[in-house]
């Protein structure tokens, strides 16, 4: 009788919520209840549709202790709420006319841990995603669409495409990974002054074009990365063994005169090298050449040559700095003769 009464009570409550969600007064009640239960951090306006599987919402507003950080308009959701019993968020389709994110949310400082549920979004589309200046340097608007299935942090599938609406720029991600294999490709193309420059804190990087591919079993992943940013070209090729934390890679970077940040300027940079073995005992070689480097205008390195070598768990570095100028009352104290650095 006790179990039956409890089950009947739960069924009655669910029925009441279901009935309320399909009437105008009930929807207003759900909006107010959500606002109270979240202490005002989540505000719903214009809840509609067929509750609870096919929902529409005119306006969504998320706030934190600093105020509103995200708003969304004209949201449409088709999902299966009963999948919650399987600890799974199953969404058939999610559509959004406009999403505005002014800044990143501010945490409450309480910390804590979280687990990732099984999330399956068959298809999603966002007509306009507006990113504020604090996120991208200058405001940017993109359209976003794709699909996503996140079973765990080690098991996921995703196809996501974003395209700028207020300028040039396209970003594409294809991802398929499981505990045994990882296949992913990323392509990024945007002109100078794009959102990624601010996200990377490199406002002077220039036009950006990058492709990255990781393919194969986790103990033998093929890695190919090519990056062009302004006057800079970089590439990485080889293989990675994620299971044993080892790699066999060759890398190179070459850049002409650039000022990627207001406080960092150079007239030329060249870096080449390779890595073989594990993180704890690699066999690696690298060579770096820098010309005309200025940091914060007070530190200047006209010429820098450095060589690095790792063998049998030992690391050796040899470097020569010419014409070094440093902040202080005698900036050219070390500039009259080359400064040699040897470390092991």
């Amino acid at each position: 009788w006790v179990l039956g009464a409890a089950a009947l009570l739960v069924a009655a409550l669910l029925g009441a919520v279901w009935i309320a969600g399909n009437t105008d007064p009930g929807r207003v009640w759900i909006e107010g209840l959500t606002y109270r239960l979240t202490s005002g951090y989540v505000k719903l306006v214009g809840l509609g549709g067929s509750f609870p599987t096919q929902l529409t919402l005119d306006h969504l507003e998320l706030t934190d202790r600093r105020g509103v950080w995200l708003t969304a308009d004209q949201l449409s959701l088709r999902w299966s709420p009963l999948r919650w019993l399987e600890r799974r968020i199953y969404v058939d389709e999610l559509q959004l006319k406009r999403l505005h994110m002014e800044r990143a949310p501010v945490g409450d400082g309480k910390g804590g841990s979280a687990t990732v549920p099984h999330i399956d979004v068959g298809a999603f589309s966002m007509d306009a995603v507006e990113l504020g200046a604090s996120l991208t340097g200058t405001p940017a608007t993109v359209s976003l669409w794709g699909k996503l299935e996140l079973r765990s942090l080690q098991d996921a599938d995703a196809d996501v495409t974003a395209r700028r609406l207020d300028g040039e720029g396209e970003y594409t991600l294809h991802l398929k990974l499981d505990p045994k294999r990882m296949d992913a490709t990323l392509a990024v193309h945007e002109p100078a002054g794009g959102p990624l420059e601010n996200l990377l804190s490199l406002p002077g990087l220039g036009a950006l074009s990058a492709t990255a591919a990781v393919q194969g079993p986790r103990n033998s992943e093929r890695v190919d990365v090519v990056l062009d940013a302004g006057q800079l070209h970089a590439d990485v090729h080889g293989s990675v063994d994620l299971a044993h934390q080892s790699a066999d890679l060759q890398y190179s970077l070459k850049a002409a005169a650039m000022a990627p940040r207001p406080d960092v300027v150079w007239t030329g940079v060249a870096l080449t090298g390779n890595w073989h073995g594990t993180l704890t005992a690699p066999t690696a070689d690298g060579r770096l050449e820098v010309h005309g480097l200025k940091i914060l205008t007070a530190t200047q390195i006209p010429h820098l040559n450095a060589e690095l070598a790792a063998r049998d768990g030992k690391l050796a570095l040899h470097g020569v700095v010419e014409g070094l100028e440093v902040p202080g009352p005698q900036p050219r104290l070390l500039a009259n003769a080359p400064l040699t650095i040897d470390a092991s």
Side-chain angles (χ1 to χ4, degrees):
W1 280 104
V2 171
L3 292 176
L8 184 61
L9 178 60
V10 171
L13 289 174
L14 292 176
V17 173
W18 179 79
I19 294 173
N22 288 283
T23 63
D24 290 339
R27 291 165 179 165
V28 173
W29 173 76
I30 291 176
E31 293 173 5
L33 180 64
T34 301
Y35 188 82
R36 291 191 297 271
L37 291 178
T38 61
S39 302
Y41 286 163
V42 179
K43 183 179 180 181
L44 308 178
V45 178
L47 181 63
S50 178
F51 188 87
T53 58
Q54 300 182 30
L55 302 177
T56 61
L57 186 66
D58 291 339
H59 184 73
L60 168 68
E61 190 174 282
L62 302 182
T63 63
D64 54 25
R65 54 188 174 86
R66 288 177 51 189
V68 178
W69 64 274
L70 183 144
T71 60
D73 297 309
Q74 302 301 311
L75 185 148
S76 175
L77 172 68
R78 290 194 299 112
W79 72 311
S80 302
L82 290 180
R83 294 294 182 92
W84 266 110
L85 299 177
E86 305 172 6
R87 198 172 171 270
R88 181 176 181 180
I89 301 175
Y90 186 84
V91 176
D92 293 307
E93 186 177 16
L94 172 64
Q95 293 181 334
L96 197 63
K97 288 292 184 183
R98 174 182 173 271
L99 183 144
H100 180 83
M101 186 174 180
E102 184 61 30
R103 56 175 174 81
V106 178
D108 56 12
K110 296 181 181 179
S113 60
T115 58
V116 179
H118 186 156
I119 301 174
D120 190 346
V121 181
F124 68 88
S125 63
M126 302 181 185
D127 293 349
V129 179
E130 302 171 354
L131 304 175
S134 62
L135 293 172
T136 57
T138 57
T141 303
V142 301
S143 60
L144 185 68
W145 67 92
K147 60 181 181 179
L148 168 69
E149 184 173 3
L150 178 63
R151 295 171 287 272
S152 71
L153 296 179
Q154 300 293 324
D155 193 356
D157 298 317
D159 289 291
V160 181
T161 301
R163 183 174 294 141
R164 286 195 67 179
L165 300 176
D166 55 350
E168 297 181 10
E170 185 168 333
Y171 318 85
T172 305
L173 170 67
H174 300 289
L175 172 68
K176 185 177 180 61
L177 62 92
D178 57 43
K180 295 183 178 181
R181 185 181 178 91
M182 179 188 300
D183 296 290
T185 58
L186 173 67
V188 176
H189 301 281
E190 71 171 28
L196 284 179
E197 287 189 357
N198 184 72
L199 294 176
L200 297 173
S201 299
L202 298 171
L205 195 58
L208 182 64
S209 177
T211 58
V214 179
Q215 296 178 326
R218 289 181 175 265
N219 61 355
S220 182
E221 295 279 0
R222 176 66 190 179
V223 177
D224 293 287
V225 179
V226 178
L227 169 67
D228 288 288
Q231 300 296 317
L232 182 148
H233 175 82
D235 59 76
V236 180
H237 302 284
S239 62
V240 176
D241 184 347
L242 299 177
H244 301 92
Q245 296 184 335
S246 66
D248 185 356
L249 298 171
Q250 291 77 41
Y251 58 88
S252 67
L253 181 150
K254 188 174 183 180
M258 291 183 66
R261 294 172 52 95
D263 52 357
V264 178
V265 180
W266 64 67
T267 58
V269 173
L271 171 67
T272 58
N274 58 78
W275 177 291
H276 307 280
T278 64
L279 292 175
T280 55
T283 299
D285 294 284
R287 180 177 178 83
L288 173 66
E289 295 182 17
V290 181
H291 303 282
L293 177 63
K294 297 181 180 179
I295 303 174
L296 295 174
T297 69
T299 300
Q300 300 187 31
I301 302 177
H303 301 285
L304 165 65
N305 289 280
E307 295 181 357
L308 179 146
R311 299 284 187 280
D312 301 324
K314 296 182 180 180
L315 180 68
L317 170 68
H318 173 74
V320 178
V321 181
E322 299 180 20
L324 175 63
E325 296 187 18
V326 296
Q330 299 185 51
R332 294 189 56 81
L333 176 66
L334 304 173
N336 293 328
L339 175 65
T340 302
I341 303 172
D342 288 288
S344 62

